[in-house]
Amino acid sequence: MMRPPANVIRSMRYRVKLFPEITIKSRPVRQEMVRCLRTNIRNALERISPGVSVADCWDALEVRPHHTLDAADQEALEASLTRISGIHEVQVVETHDFVGIDEAAARLVPLWRDALAGRRFRVRVKRRGRHAFSSEELERHLGRVLLETTEGASVDLKRPDIEVRVELKDDRLVLVTRRLPGLGGYPLGTQGQAIALISGGYDSPVAAWQLLRRGLKTHFVFFNLGGPAHEQGVREVVHHLWQRYSASHRVNFISVPFEGVVNEIQRSVPAGLAGVVLKRMMLRAANRVAARARIPALITGDALAQVSSQSLTNLGLIDAVSERPILRPLIASDKQAIIADARHIDTARFAERMPEYCGVISKRPNVRPSAGKIERAEASFDFAELDAAVSGSTLTRVDRLLDVARTLPDIPELDSREALSSSDDITVIDIRHPEERDAQPLELPRGRPLAIPFFELMERAETLPRDRRYLLYCTQGRMSRMQALQLADKGLTQFGVYHA
């Protein structure tokens, strides 16, 4: 069996192949994109390999770590390269001392033997310098050795399945040892910037990722409907998305406290229109945030007809309040395809434990309301609540989102009717919307629940006696837990969740 010689690798580097659409751009556009990509690579890798160099080789970039990497840093660097937009393929390249053609063949066989089994291949040599053989002679020798040592392989010079490339530069043998698929797309920042409306579910992170991949520098705006628990979960997913796919740039996370807006919608807007009105209020607020930062576009995770507020009629009504174009990369995507993408970018694990807060806002939604109906519904809305939400927004650099981790309190939950019947110090509060409460009254083992809709609970909770425990009830338990966490954040720890 052929064994490669034991001489030490001179150096390891990475050859970065450009996304094919970059290579067909005009020369000035291509040069600008490559310049931006070089900067992005240096910025993204600086933490792993300080001083990393990135050289332009026209059809590729050459990335050279400043120092020898240990196994963990090498793995991290390679993973980072595959997540930088604008890169089609990452080739791991090793440079060896060239001793002779037999030694070169001995190094080539273990690299390609498995990949060539049962496949058609050809060897392509790029040679520079003075040698006792030609490029064609070296190709034939290497091809013959690979053919003899690989089961089922065949040579095809015109239409090979695989092309084995070898470079020989004077006394240096350059081999591609591995090929890693890149993210594709355009270099981040070359297509401008936008703000993504982010909720932490499946859709909005995937929408942001798809436009990051197309070169759009993306900031994030979050509308807090669920208090500290909701915000902490969204901070985690945004930080993950940034760290993986846009760490080369500094972007911002804007949190807008929207509980007051939701409560006002519940008070003043018919239930069937609440979902659309909520989305319109979010877009109004997002436009103000974007105007303040001079950002020209918004991104949402809407997919046509996925939920009631995403019917074509409702999307038109929602768009009508926006001063900026709304980019919807998922508009024609199936839910399962979105979930598959979320798993691919590793945001699904966040979405799986993130309650769908918007889903508890709208009851019996109208999928084809008229513009006049929406305008009349908003006529009684107190827009001072929207002004207060925008004024109360906070901005955090995304790289600092996890600097202060909050520990959420344990919320007691009771699902035993027997335990409730044996306790004298517990009061159940039905926090559902009055229409839902009247349609399906809650029956308890004894007594009647206290009726306080969730949009009044924050104000009324402080007036309740402190010597009792209170269990909040809603149909699925999501709103109850959300409200209990918000109350605990205000120091009111006597609230829990009741499951009927």
Side-chain angles (χ1 to χ4, degrees):
M1 179 180 293
M2 301 181 66
R3 296 183 183 276
N7 60 299
V8 178
I9 299 172
R10 274 196 182 181
S11 64
M12 175 180 289
R13 64 182 188 274
Y14 299 89
R15 184 179 296 155
V16 173
K17 304 295 288 185
L18 303 178
F19 180 55
E21 290 183 24
I22 297 175
T23 64
I24 62 174
K25 301 296 183 186
S26 66
R27 188 181 184 94
V29 172
R30 174 174 174 158
Q31 287 177 334
E32 176 59 23
M33 286 191 171
V34 171
R35 182 200 63 78
C36 185
L37 181 56
R38 286 202 310 269
T39 301
N40 291 352
I41 292 173
R42 281 193 294 265
N43 290 345
L45 301 185
E46 182 66 23
R47 175 182 56 85
I48 303 167
S49 178
V52 63
S53 68
V54 185
D56 188 357
C57 302
W58 179 243
D59 63 338
L61 297 176
E62 188 172 280
V63 178
R64 291 186 177 182
H66 183 63
H67 60 280
T68 302
L69 304 175
D70 60 25
D73 283 345
Q74 181 180 333
E75 182 179 355
L77 185 143
E78 292 174 6
S80 183
L81 279 173
T82 63
R83 295 168 185 157
I84 297 174
S85 59
I87 295 176
H88 174 66
E89 183 181 73
V90 179
Q91 298 175 356
V92 185
V93 178
E94 291 182 359
T95 302
H96 301 267
D97 291 323
F98 178 70
V99 178
I101 59 176
D102 289 331
E103 289 82 0
R107 290 199 177 277
L108 203 61
V109 168
L111 294 177
W112 287 98
R113 183 167 44 213
D114 293 341
L116 297 181
R119 310 292 294 278
R120 297 173 300 163
F121 75 95
R122 73 178 176 190
V123 177
R124 177 67 59 86
V125 171
K126 184 177 180 181
R127 187 180 61 86
R128 185 181 69 192
R130 297 176 63 86
H131 303 96
F133 47 83
S134 67
S135 299
E136 292 77 10
E137 288 172 333
L138 181 56
E139 286 174 350
R140 287 196 294 270
H141 180 80
L142 297 177
R144 183 174 65 253
V145 173
L146 287 171
L147 191 62
E148 292 171 351
T149 56
T150 305
E151 184 178 352
S154 60
V155 173
D156 189 332
L157 300 180
K158 293 184 177 180
R159 295 183 179 179
D161 298 322
I162 299 174
E163 185 172 271
V164 179
R165 295 194 176 190
V166 177
E167 294 181 20
L168 181 58
K169 298 180 179 180
D170 298 318
D171 63 345
R172 291 178 299 155
L173 177 67
V174 182
L175 301 176
V176 176
T177 62
R178 283 179 292 130
R179 297 172 184 267
L180 310 172
L183 183 61
Y186 295 119
L188 190 62
T190 58
Q191 307 307 309
Q193 56 183 338
I195 291 183
L197 281 66
I198 195 87
S199 68
Y202 288 105
D203 303 340
S204 55
V206 172
W209 167 72
Q210 288 198 2
L211 289 177
L212 283 169
R213 183 183 173 276
R214 296 300 290 180
L216 198 60
K217 180 180 177 180
T218 302
H219 304 269
F220 301 89
V221 62
F222 159 63
F223 297 97
N224 192 339
L225 311 181
H230 191 191
E231 178 159 343
Q232 181 164 312
V234 175
R235 280 174 171 251
E236 290 173 358
V237 69
V238 168
H239 186 271
H240 168 84
L241 200 60
W242 167 81
Q243 191 172 54
R244 272 202 167 200
Y245 299 104
S246 61
S248 58
H249 287 66
R250 287 185 176 179
V251 297
N252 295 321
F253 173 84
I254 300 97
S255 177
V256 184
F258 235 54
E259 297 97 326
V261 173
V262 171
N263 293 345
E264 177 62 19
I265 289 173
Q266 294 296 324
R267 291 189 188 97
S268 61
V269 175
L273 304 177
V276 174
V277 171
L278 175 63
K279 294 292 182 66
R280 282 163 62 97
M281 295 300 170
M282 287 179 173
L283 277 189
R284 288 183 173 109
N287 273 275
R288 294 191 199 179
V289 170
R292 200 160 53 197
R294 298 183 180 180
I295 294 176
L298 305 176
I299 303 168
T300 74
D302 297 323
L304 186 64
Q306 187 180 115
V307 295
S308 60
S309 64
Q310 294 169 14
S311 69
L312 189 59
T313 299
N314 283 337
L315 288 176
L317 292 170
I318 292 167
D319 284 5
V321 303
S322 181
E323 302 163 6
R324 285 162 178 73
I326 301 170
L327 308 179
R328 293 187 170 99
L330 306 184
I331 194 66
S333 298
D334 297 330
K335 189 66 176 184
Q336 289 307 311
I338 296 171
I339 292 174
D341 278 343
R343 288 179 177 146
H344 173 66
I345 64 176
D346 198 28
T347 58
R349 59 190 172 95
F350 299 98
E352 286 162 0
R353 63 175 188 260
M354 185 75 64
E356 182 54 64
Y357 294 105
C358 290
V360 300
I361 305 301
S362 184
K363 304 299 179 185
R364 298 188 302 278
N366 189 335
V367 297
R368 292 189 183 88
S370 65
K373 197 169 187 178
I374 292 291
E375 290 168 2
R376 288 191 294 275
E378 291 183 348
S380 57
F381 180 87
D382 183 1
F383 278 85
E385 290 289 352
L386 185 64
D387 296 337
V390 175
S391 298
S393 63
T394 59
L395 183 148
T396 308
R397 263 179 35 187
V398 172
D399 58 315
R400 296 177 177 171
L401 279 179
L402 304 185
D403 284 357
V404 179
R406 301 187 61 180
T407 302
L408 300 178
D410 292 327
I411 300 300
E413 302 195 20
L414 185 66
D415 57 7
S416 170
R417 296 171 67 87
E418 293 181 4
L420 180 63
S421 63
S422 63
S423 300
D424 295 326
D425 65 336
I426 295 178
T427 297
V428 175
I429 303 177
D430 190 337
I431 66 169
R432 293 176 295 170
H433 191 281
E435 292 184 9
E436 185 181 2
R437 191 178 63 226
D438 293 343
Q440 293 182 317
L442 174 63
E443 295 183 2
L444 300 177
R446 60 178 182 177
R448 301 178 62 182
L450 184 61
I452 303 178
F454 70 88
F455 50 85
E456 295 179 2
L457 184 62
M458 290 297 122
E459 296 177 5
R460 295 178 57 180
E462 294 187 1
T463 67
L464 298 174
R466 299 292 182 97
D467 59 349
R468 295 189 63 77
R469 291 182 292 160
Y470 299 93
L471 296 179
L472 310 180
Y473 172 77
C474 65
T475 304
Q476 296 179 340
R478 293 175 180 172
M479 180 62 76
S480 298
R481 180 169 176 78
M482 178 175 74
Q483 295 288 318
L485 284 167
Q486 286 182 269
L487 290 167
D489 196 51
K490 294 183 176 182
L492 301 176
T493 59
Q494 68 269 38
F495 291 85
V497 176
Y498 177 69
H499 299 283

